[in-house]
Protein backbone atom coordinates (compact mmCIF):
# COMPACT_ATOMS: atom_id res chain seq x y z
CA UNK A 1 0.00 0.00 0.00
CA UNK A 2 1.50 3.30 -1.03
CA UNK A 3 0.46 6.72 0.18
CA UNK A 4 0.22 9.75 -2.07
CA UNK A 5 2.98 12.32 -1.55
CA UNK A 6 2.21 15.16 0.84
CA UNK A 7 1.88 18.63 -0.69
CA UNK A 8 4.83 20.90 -0.06
CA UNK A 9 4.60 24.69 0.24
CA UNK A 10 5.89 26.55 -2.79
CA UNK A 11 7.40 29.45 -0.84
CA UNK A 12 9.77 29.62 2.10
CA UNK A 13 8.79 27.72 5.25
CA UNK A 14 7.63 30.01 8.09
CA UNK A 15 9.76 30.27 11.22
CA UNK A 16 9.00 28.05 14.21
CA UNK A 17 6.38 29.55 16.50
CA UNK A 18 7.19 27.29 19.44
CA UNK A 19 10.07 29.46 20.69
CA UNK A 20 9.08 32.26 23.10
CA UNK A 21 9.13 35.78 21.76
CA UNK A 22 11.34 38.44 23.34
CA UNK A 23 8.38 39.82 25.32
CA UNK A 24 7.45 36.35 26.64
CA UNK A 25 11.05 35.54 27.55
CA UNK A 26 11.49 38.77 29.52
CA UNK A 27 8.18 38.18 31.34
CA UNK A 28 9.16 34.60 32.18
CA UNK A 29 6.30 33.12 30.16
CA UNK A 30 8.32 30.78 27.98
CA UNK A 31 6.88 27.58 29.44
CA UNK A 32 3.36 26.34 28.90
CA UNK A 33 0.98 26.20 31.85
CA UNK A 34 1.23 22.41 32.19
CA UNK A 35 5.00 22.50 32.73
CA UNK A 36 4.62 23.85 36.27
CA UNK A 37 3.59 20.40 37.55
CA UNK A 38 6.43 18.17 36.47
CA UNK A 39 6.28 15.36 39.02
CA UNK A 40 3.02 13.44 38.86
CA UNK A 41 1.61 10.07 39.81
CA UNK A 42 3.04 8.40 36.72
CA UNK A 43 6.55 9.50 37.67
CA UNK A 44 6.00 8.23 41.20
CA UNK A 45 4.93 4.82 39.91
CA UNK A 46 7.94 4.60 37.60
CA UNK A 47 10.32 5.45 40.45
CA UNK A 48 8.61 2.93 42.75
CA UNK A 49 9.00 0.17 40.16
CA UNK A 50 12.64 1.16 39.56
CA UNK A 51 13.42 1.08 43.29
CA UNK A 52 11.72 -2.28 43.76
CA UNK A 53 13.55 -3.68 40.75
CA UNK A 54 16.91 -2.33 41.91
CA UNK A 55 16.44 -3.63 45.45
CA UNK A 56 15.31 -7.04 44.23
CA UNK A 57 18.20 -7.26 41.79
CA UNK A 58 20.74 -6.37 44.46
CA UNK A 59 19.26 -8.91 46.87
CA UNK A 60 19.24 -11.67 44.24
CA UNK A 61 22.85 -10.84 43.42
CA UNK A 62 23.78 -11.66 47.01
CA UNK A 63 24.01 -8.20 48.57
CA UNK A 64 23.16 -8.06 52.28
CA UNK A 65 19.83 -6.47 53.19
CA UNK A 66 21.48 -3.78 55.34
CA UNK A 67 23.53 -2.66 52.34
CA UNK A 68 20.51 -2.74 50.00
CA UNK A 69 18.47 -0.58 52.40
CA UNK A 70 21.37 1.85 52.86
CA UNK A 71 21.85 2.24 49.10
CA UNK A 72 18.14 2.70 48.38
CA UNK A 73 17.80 5.13 51.29
CA UNK A 74 20.70 7.18 49.95
CA UNK A 75 19.20 7.20 46.46
CA UNK A 76 15.86 8.29 47.89
CA UNK A 77 17.44 11.09 49.92
CA UNK A 78 19.35 12.39 46.91
CA UNK A 79 16.18 12.26 44.79
CA UNK A 80 14.13 14.08 47.44
CA UNK A 81 16.79 16.77 47.79
CA UNK A 82 16.92 17.21 44.01
CA UNK A 83 13.15 17.53 43.72
CA UNK A 84 13.06 19.99 46.61
CA UNK A 85 15.78 22.15 45.07
CA UNK A 86 14.24 22.02 41.58
CA UNK A 87 10.75 22.70 42.88
CA UNK A 88 11.68 25.99 44.52
CA UNK A 89 11.78 24.58 48.05
CA UNK A 90 15.20 26.03 48.77
CA UNK A 91 14.05 27.50 52.08
CA UNK A 92 12.70 24.13 53.24
CA UNK A 93 15.89 22.42 52.12
CA UNK A 94 17.93 25.01 54.03
CA UNK A 95 16.00 24.22 57.21
CA UNK A 96 16.66 20.49 56.76
CA UNK A 97 20.36 21.05 56.10
CA UNK A 98 20.66 23.33 59.12
CA UNK A 99 18.95 20.71 61.32
CA UNK A 100 21.25 17.98 60.00
CA UNK A 101 24.37 20.09 60.66
CA UNK A 102 23.21 20.97 64.18
CA UNK A 103 22.42 17.35 65.01
CA UNK A 104 25.80 16.27 63.64
CA UNK A 105 27.55 18.93 65.73
CA UNK A 106 25.70 17.80 68.86
CA UNK A 107 23.74 21.03 69.42
Amino acid sequence: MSLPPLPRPAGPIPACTCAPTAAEASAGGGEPDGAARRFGPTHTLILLIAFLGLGSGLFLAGTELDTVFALLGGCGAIGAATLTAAGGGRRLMGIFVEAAVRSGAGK
Side-chain angles (χ1 to χ4, degrees):
M1 177 176 175
S2 63
L3 299 174
L6 295 174
R8 303 231 180 232
I13 299 173
C16 177
T17 59
C18 59
T21 62
E24 289 175 342
S26 64
E31 294 181 351
D33 293 335
R37 198 181 111 186
R38 293 189 175 138
F39 190 74
T42 305
H43 298 101
T44 306
L45 180 65
I46 291 170
L47 287 175
L48 177 66
I49 292 170
F51 265 67
L52 290 173
L54 178 63
S56 299
L58 287 171
F59 178 72
L60 292 175
T63 309
E64 295 180 15
L65 276 179
D66 293 340
T67 307
V68 171
F69 291 141
L71 288 171
L72 293 180
C75 289
I78 290 171
T82 303
L83 286 174
T84 303
R90 288 178 180 85
R91 182 175 174 213
L92 178 65
M93 191 170 67
I95 292 170
F96 284 139
V97 168
E98 182 181 353
V101 168
R102 287 184 185 217
S103 69
K107 293 184 179 182

